[in-house]
Amino acid sequence: MGIISAIKGLVSVISDTRVKEDFKIEPISSEQMNAWIYECADIYQGNPSWIDVEDGIDTVNFAKSVCAEIARLTMQGTSIKLSGSARADWLQWQVDRVYSLLQSWVEYGSAYGTIMLKPNGDTIDIYTPNKFDITHVTNAEIDGAVFYNQQRAGDKWFTRLEYHRFEGGAYRITNKCYVSPSENDTGKPVDISETPWSALAEEATVSNIEKPLFAAFRMPQANNIVISSPYGLPAFSEAVQELRDLDIAYSRNSAEIFDSKRTVMVDKDRMLDFKERAKTENALGRVRMPNYINLVDGDTTTQSDIYHEINPTLNTDARLTGLNALLSQIGYKAGFSNGYFVFNQSGGIQTATQVEADQQRTIQTIKAVRDSLEHCLDCLIYALNAFADLYGLAPAGVYEVAYDFGDITYSANEEKARWYGYVQAGKVPFWYYLVRFEGFTEQEAKALENAAQPKTPTLFGGEE
């Protein structure tokens, strides 16, 4: 376990102890699952356990690229629209405020396997696995959890454990607070009135709700580390060995390139004679030797001993083949089609025809991630709606959510060609095409379209 994981593990262990002692509950977790999540977290953050400075092994952090690509494809062309009432308008405002963060949240979900989103009355907080414990699951849905919140005030660190669960036919929230001089220790209990969260109650009971006031986003693949665990797996969980091999292969190739400098070995006695002659011929006496020349002691009895060149041969082409094989394995295990990730080649999605033939696995993976995201957002919007009821944040009313996930095969040129075909078929006015694809305002486009219309001759030869 790396240093980052060790720190996270320490905080988690301390918080877990508090959860068990102060709430009298046992979190649904295991040392094996925690260790795996923290190991993958280190890999995603660019600190895998196999980095070896002495052996020249570094990381290209390709796990980050895999998670970022999943998030990019998931959110490509995605829109979320709510309608139905003034309450729906307020919910739309809340969603719009965090929309720009959704791609990052999907990436974190891909990296950690599970993240939590929870309204706080003002905005939405995101929790990674080191910041929450799952305490109850019903029909595979997480409906009980403890969230860890930390805040510094002066030289003190305050920690709040926020326990959500259904109990006695109602939804209950319990806050327990602690103060410590260190962020890595919860410290001693303190009354919530003496903390930065003094506006909150230690206990709150909510009636007439059916879902928890938080939402879980989990990666869709099954958990094969601890089968009974409610935690999802990082997107690259199956490819950890290949990620290690990729870093080693890339580091070896980089080291070879670094050491491939051309070197010329020249007898230093002969070169000193040359420099002396050059000084008499050059008044300034400025003689600069190329940096690839090394002066050495040599036997000058023969001409061949005066000059010797070393010009290493690189194995880049052969190594590149191996790197691409590893990239293809990593991509396949992360849910992408074969060859999606390659060096020095045109890869990825280009046209709809190519996608239909080669990228079905990628499409199916992103569809599964989008389904998980949609379920998470449904739960999050439900929680926001409940907060609006509890605190009178918006007028009561119904709402309806419409998700529109864009085509991951999107091509701007194909889109323009398709819409221009609609224009030629007389199904769409030309001014609409100009506005959508050419950057015209509606007024400019309509004026241009009108100016291009043929004029009808008048009785006396003019036009109208």
Side-chain angles (χ1 to χ4, degrees):
M1 183 184 293
I3 294 176
I4 292 178
S5 287
I7 294 173
K8 290 177 179 177
L10 175 63
V11 175
S12 181
V13 168
I14 294 171
S15 300
D16 282 353
T17 301
R18 286 292 190 185
V19 169
K20 295 174 183 177
E21 293 178 353
D22 294 356
F23 293 114
K24 310 301 181 187
I25 54 174
E26 188 75 26
I28 303 175
S29 187
S30 69
E31 292 185 7
Q32 184 181 3
M33 193 69 236
N34 288 339
W36 184 250
I37 290 173
Y38 294 143
E39 181 177 344
C40 289
D42 274 338
I43 295 170
Y44 169 73
Q45 293 173 18
N47 296 283
S49 59
W50 54 79
I51 287 181
D52 189 333
V53 176
E54 293 184 0
D55 197 26
I57 306 302
D58 204 348
T59 180
V60 296
N61 198 8
F62 198 71
K64 169 73 167 66
S65 300
V66 169
C67 296
E69 184 67 3
I70 289 174
R72 184 187 70 83
L73 293 177
T74 299
M75 291 303 300
Q76 183 167 288
T78 296
S79 67
I80 307 163
K81 300 297 182 184
L82 291 101
S83 60
S85 66
R87 171 63 60 86
D89 294 340
W90 181 84
L91 291 171
Q92 181 72 64
W93 175 68
Q94 289 287 340
V95 170
D96 289 344
R97 291 175 69 193
V98 299
Y99 179 82
S100 62
L101 301 174
L102 286 180
Q103 184 164 323
S104 296
W105 291 352
V106 173
E107 182 176 329
Y108 293 143
S110 300
Y112 294 98
T114 310
I115 60 169
M116 295 283 199
L117 303 177
K118 184 175 70 66
N120 61 20
D122 178 38
T123 183
I124 298 168
D125 294 325
I126 176 176
Y127 294 83
T128 51
N130 62 309
K131 294 296 184 181
F132 67 84
D133 266 328
I134 298 173
T135 62
H136 195 268
V137 176
T138 302
N139 296 328
E141 291 291 332
I142 301 171
D143 55 9
V146 178
F147 299 92
Y148 310 153
N149 303 273
Q150 273 192 324
Q151 190 168 326
R152 185 174 183 176
D155 58 353
K156 296 179 180 179
W157 283 91
F158 292 92
T159 301
R160 177 168 60 93
L161 302 184
E162 184 178 337
Y163 179 25
H164 288 239
R165 76 280 190 193
F166 286 96
E167 186 176 277
Y171 190 81
R172 295 189 63 190
I173 303 173
T174 302
N175 288 297
K176 291 188 179 296
C177 299
Y178 311 87
V179 62
S180 169
S182 169
E183 65 175 320
N184 296 324
D185 184 9
T186 53
K188 62 181 181 179
V190 63
D191 191 273
I192 196 170
S193 62
E194 301 175 27
T195 72
W197 307 285
S198 57
L200 301 177
E202 287 191 353
E203 291 279 349
T205 301
V206 185
S207 302
N208 301 320
I209 65 171
E210 300 175 352
K211 297 180 182 180
L213 299 184
F214 58 84
F217 173 58
R218 289 181 290 188
M219 293 304 288
Q221 69 264 40
N223 187 332
N224 68 327
I225 303 300
V226 178
I227 294 176
S228 61
S229 174
Y231 288 86
L233 292 181
F236 54 86
S237 179
E238 296 179 41
V240 168
Q241 180 64 47
E242 287 81 0
L243 287 167
R244 173 183 176 274
D245 294 345
L246 176 68
D247 282 342
I248 293 173
Y250 194 90
S251 296
R252 293 286 183 252
N253 186 60
S254 296
E256 182 179 291
I257 293 173
F258 182 81
D259 293 333
S260 65
K261 177 181 174 182
R262 177 192 177 202
T263 302
V264 174
M265 316 294 287
V266 180
D267 175 49
K268 67 180 181 181
D269 292 333
R270 292 299 181 93
M271 289 305 300
L272 288 174
D273 292 342
F274 164 76
K275 292 171 73 174
E276 288 300 323
R277 289 197 305 271
K279 285 181 181 179
T280 43
E281 296 171 4
N282 185 348
L284 296 177
R286 294 175 181 171
V287 179
R288 178 183 175 278
M289 304 302 296
N291 61 10
Y292 57 81
I293 290 183
N294 285 0
L295 301 181
V296 297
D297 292 322
D299 182 3
T300 60
T301 57
T302 62
Q303 187 69 20
S304 61
D305 293 318
I306 297 174
Y307 179 95
H308 181 66
E309 182 173 338
I310 301 173
N311 201 357
T313 300
L314 293 177
N315 298 311
T316 303
D317 289 341
R319 291 186 183 276
L320 188 60
T321 300
L323 288 169
N324 282 333
L326 285 169
L327 287 172
S328 187
Q329 286 178 266
I330 292 168
Y332 186 84
K333 286 191 171 184
F336 291 89
S337 300
N338 280 331
Y340 189 93
F341 297 110
V342 289
F343 284 128
N344 292 347
Q345 294 183 40
S346 177
I349 295 170
Q350 296 181 355
T351 66
T353 302
Q354 179 192 11
V355 169
E356 291 299 324
D358 302 327
Q359 297 292 342
Q360 280 300 313
R361 184 177 174 84
T362 303
I363 293 172
Q364 291 163 3
T365 295
I366 299 305
K367 173 62 167 61
V369 176
R370 285 175 168 180
D371 288 345
S372 294
L373 177 61
E374 182 174 335
H375 177 71
C376 172
L377 292 174
D378 280 341
C379 295
L380 180 63
I381 292 170
Y382 180 92
L384 287 167
N385 186 59
F387 264 81
D389 288 335
L390 290 172
Y391 299 104
L393 301 176
V398 297
Y399 68 88
E400 183 177 345
V401 189
Y403 298 97
D404 183 15
F405 292 103
D407 185 356
I408 67 172
T409 69
Y410 177 80
S411 164
N413 289 333
E414 290 180 2
E415 182 82 347
K416 288 179 67 174
R418 181 164 59 250
W419 279 89
Y420 191 69
Y422 297 155
V423 172
Q424 292 179 313
K427 305 298 183 182
V428 173
F430 184 58
W431 68 262
Y432 181 82
Y433 172 86
L434 293 175
V435 170
R436 179 162 182 166
F437 296 104
E438 303 297 345
F440 287 83
T441 66
E442 183 174 334
Q443 183 178 2
E444 291 171 340
K446 287 182 175 179
L448 185 62
E449 183 179 43
N450 183 61
Q453 297 298 321
K455 304 301 182 182
T456 303
T458 63
L459 179 63
F460 300 101
E463 294 182 344
E464 62 177 5

